[in-house]
Amino acid sequence: RHKVELHTDRRDELGELAASITTLSDDLERLKNERNEFLASISHELRTPLTYLKGYADIISRGDISGNERNEYIEIIREETEQLVVLVKNLFELAKMDQNRFIINKENVVFGNLIHTITERIRPALEEKNITFSVRCPSHINAHIDPERIQQVLLNILDNAKKHTSQGKRISLEVSQNKRDIITMISDEGEGIPEEDLPYIFERLYRVEKSRSRLSGGTGLGLAIAKEIVEFHGGTIKVRSKLGEGTSFIMTLQRGDSHE
Ligand code: ADP
């Protein structure tokens, strides 16, 4: 009797093993598909600016254009090249994150000072667009973070907010804290994000309006990198948005003084 039970156990074990191998191979298949899709998107992202570069370089080298046109095309070549450099830099950064070779240098910082630095950096660009910018941050919050990286995240969100908010509207940045977390919310009164796009906006190379955001200089990698950076800190980043009303990004980081 004992023997039979052992056999049954064994069969169960084998069954479980077979089931997990099936799951594993499904996972592998999914990963392979994702990687292929990502590579296809990257090829597209690289090909588009390269086509522009070649096209304009050809026109200039033919030489039958006015000085003004020539300058205009050289300017386009310069902008497209800059965009390519950013794209490649961002892809490289994500590759490092995937291989866990991404380094964050955490230190104790006064969060309010960091927010001050960030807001002063973005303020001129917002003023230029006549956007009202309000900032609220308690002065005594301590954080244990990589200040450069968190600055990169917040500037990216603010830059997106600026891009998608029209003249005369508002953007606000508010910091609060509870026992565990520091919560930073950046809200804009911009165009908002369609509900069907919301689940995907942190995905690599995802853009809401493909061609328009490419022309405004976006690579579709900003939010993917922001999310990775925040998660490397053990935090979270979320979005809420209503089309035509505005968008809020909420970044939550653990407080510096609670786990040091
Ligand atoms: P991009 O480099 O194209 O800006 P991101 O990863 O930074 O890429 O953002 C992904 C997409 O999310 C953008 O293409 C944009 O359409 C949308 N998005 C991000 N922030 C906002 C915002 N504040 N308002 C409206 N749309 C936004």
Side-chain angles (χ1 to χ4, degrees):
R1 220 195 127 180
H2 192 61
K3 232 178 182 173
V4 172
E5 261 174 25
L6 260 183
H7 275 152
T8 322
D9 279 357
R10 202 70 212 187
R11 263 215 307 277
D12 285 353
E13 261 174 41
L14 280 176
E16 266 170 39
L17 198 63
S20 34
I21 288 172
T22 313
T23 321
L24 204 64
S25 80
D26 285 353
D27 282 353
L28 276 175
E29 190 60 27
R30 192 175 42 77
L31 279 175
K32 221 163 67 189
N33 288 340
E34 274 173 19
R35 198 189 57 178
N36 285 344
E37 260 172 45
F38 188 55
L39 282 176
S41 316
I42 290 175
S43 312
H44 177 76
E45 294 295 322
L46 293 173
R47 207 165 43 223
T48 312
L50 288 173
T51 309
Y52 277 102
L53 289 180
K54 181 165 178 339
Y56 286 112
D58 284 348
I59 297 175
I60 293 170
S61 69
R62 279 207 301 271
D64 52 354
I65 48 169
S66 71
N68 275 348
E69 279 173 314
R70 190 167 173 274
N71 290 344
E72 192 189 318
Y73 297 158
I74 289 176
E75 183 56 25
I76 295 175
I77 290 179
R78 214 179 50 76
E79 280 170 17
E80 288 288 339
T81 314
E82 257 170 37
Q83 211 172 318
L84 261 179
V85 170
V86 174
L87 176 66
V88 172
K89 189 178 139 247
N90 286 345
L91 284 171
F92 189 61
E93 210 154 69
L94 279 166
K96 277 197 292 189
M97 289 167 168
D98 287 345
Q99 297 164 7
N100 257 323
R101 285 195 296 118
F102 181 69
I103 296 165
I104 48 173
N105 296 309
K106 283 192 185 180
E107 53 185 274
N108 289 321
V109 298
V110 179
F111 204 66
N113 293 350
L114 181 71
I115 294 295
H116 183 75
T117 310
I118 294 167
T119 53
E120 290 321 297
R121 264 190 70 177
I122 192 88
R123 198 181 288 283
L126 296 178
E127 273 171 9
E128 199 182 306
K129 215 176 161 185
N130 198 20
I131 290 173
T132 311
F133 183 37
S134 62
V135 180
R136 277 220 325 249
C137 176
S139 55
H140 53 274
I141 300 182
N142 295 314
H144 189 64
I145 52 173
D146 183 331
E148 299 273 319
R149 291 306 187 172
I150 295 301
Q151 174 163 329
Q152 180 185 349
V153 170
L154 294 178
L155 280 177
N156 192 294
I157 295 173
L158 284 166
D159 197 53
N160 277 345
K162 188 199 88 187
K163 261 196 256 173
H164 298 280
T165 302
S166 45
Q167 304 243 351
K169 299 279 187 180
R170 267 167 209 284
I171 294 176
S172 71
L173 186 159
E174 271 185 44
V175 180
S176 59
Q177 64 180 334
N178 59 31
K179 261 196 193 139
R180 235 178 59 109
D181 298 317
I182 303 168
I183 301 136
T184 308
M185 178 151 102
I186 293 173
S187 302
D188 65 57
E189 293 179 345
E191 66 203 32
I193 299 168
E195 208 179 324
E196 65 265 27
D197 292 301
L198 269 184
Y200 307 109
I201 62 156
F202 292 101
E203 280 186 10
R204 295 173 187 193
L205 299 175
Y206 193 86
R207 296 201 197 94
V208 173
E209 267 180 71
K210 316 294 177 240
S211 58
R212 202 194 52 196
S213 47
R214 205 193 89 79
L215 290 178
S216 67
T219 63
L221 291 174
L223 286 177
I225 292 177
K227 186 165 190 272
E228 293 275 354
I229 292 175
V230 173
E231 288 177 355
F232 264 92
H233 280 81
T236 61
I237 184 163
K238 297 208 157 61
V239 61
R240 275 193 229 136
S241 189
K242 206 148 194 198
L243 201 58
E245 287 183 20
T247 304
S248 297
F249 283 89
I250 303 123
M251 174 184 76
T252 305
L253 294 169
Q254 278 170 20
R255 277 170 53 157
D257 42 12
S258 62
H259 65 118
E260 254 298 86

